[in-house]
Amino acid sequence: MFKANEINEADPVQYRVILMHGLPYSGKSTEARRLSKKYGWPIVNPDAVRVALHGSRFPAVMEPWVWLITFLMVKVMHLTGYDTVIVDACNNTRKRRDEWRRVSPEDVEILLVPVWTSSSECIERAAKNNDQEIIPQIGRMAYRDWE
C-alpha cells in the first residue's frame, strides 16, 4: 500500500502524477479513492473520459482522444492548485508509462503505485460484476501485455 511519506519532499519537483498500476478489477480504484480521501488528491480516470466521450468503455479509434483529454485534465488539476494528481488506469505497458514521462515537464514527478492482485481473482471480481467483456482482456493483459 502506498503511503505519502514515501514521497521525498526535498525533491525539486513542483507536481506529481501518481499512476495506479494493475489489472482490471485488481483494486486500483479502491486504492486511488483511499489515497484521495486521505490526502485530498484528485483522481482522473480514463474510463470516465471514455464514457463521457462516447458512452462505452473501449472503442480503439477513440483512445488517442481519451489519453489526450486525460493528460490535459491532469495538467489542469496541477494549474488549478493540486500538486499531486492520481491517474486511475491500468498503466500496464511500459509504452503507456513512458508516455507520461514524455509529455510531463521536468518539474513533474511520475510515481507508480502497483496494485498486485492475481488474474484469477480479477476475473472472479469481473464475473461477480457481470462484466464478461473484460474477462478475456484480463487474461491477455496478465500474460502478454504486462510490462
Side-chain angles (χ1 to χ4, degrees):
M1 189 177 310
F2 177 81
K3 297 178 181 75
N5 64 358
E6 296 174 13
I7 294 175
N8 182 355
E9 294 296 339
D11 284 346
V13 298
Q14 186 171 358
Y15 303 113
R16 288 180 180 84
V17 176
I18 295 182
L19 298 178
M20 303 308 295
H21 176 54
L23 292 170
Y25 287 94
S26 63
K28 298 178 307 296
S29 296
T30 301
E31 179 65 4
R33 285 190 303 271
R34 184 191 72 79
L35 292 170
S36 178
K37 183 176 179 181
K38 185 171 184 176
Y39 301 109
W41 300 332
I43 300 169
V44 176
N45 185 315
D47 286 339
V49 173
R50 289 180 186 100
V51 171
L53 278 176
H54 43 71
S56 64
R57 186 164 43 203
F58 192 79
V61 69
M62 294 300 291
E63 281 304 287
W65 291 105
V66 168
W67 286 100
L68 175 62
I69 291 167
T70 299
F71 290 129
L72 290 173
M73 288 175 73
V74 169
K75 182 67 172 174
V76 167
M77 291 292 179
H78 284 152
L79 292 174
T80 56
Y82 292 97
D83 62 348
T84 302
V85 178
I86 301 166
V87 177
D88 182 13
C90 292
N91 294 300
N92 65 312
T93 65
R94 185 172 313 282
K95 180 180 177 184
R96 173 65 60 214
R97 296 187 304 272
D98 286 349
E99 185 70 9
W100 280 100
R101 290 178 182 92
R102 188 184 69 74
V103 301
S104 299
E106 288 182 12
D107 65 345
V108 176
E109 180 180 28
I110 308 296
L111 298 170
L112 194 63
V113 177
V115 178
W116 301 114
T117 306
S118 71
S119 59
S120 59
E121 186 172 342
C122 294
I123 288 169
E124 184 178 314
R125 290 175 181 177
K128 282 182 183 176
N129 280 289
N130 204 23
D131 193 354
Q132 300 301 317
E133 177 186 339
I134 198 78
I135 290 173
Q137 293 176 30
I138 293 171
R140 178 181 53 82
M141 290 169 80
Y143 298 109
R144 190 185 77 194
D145 289 349
W146 204 261
E147 299 175 334

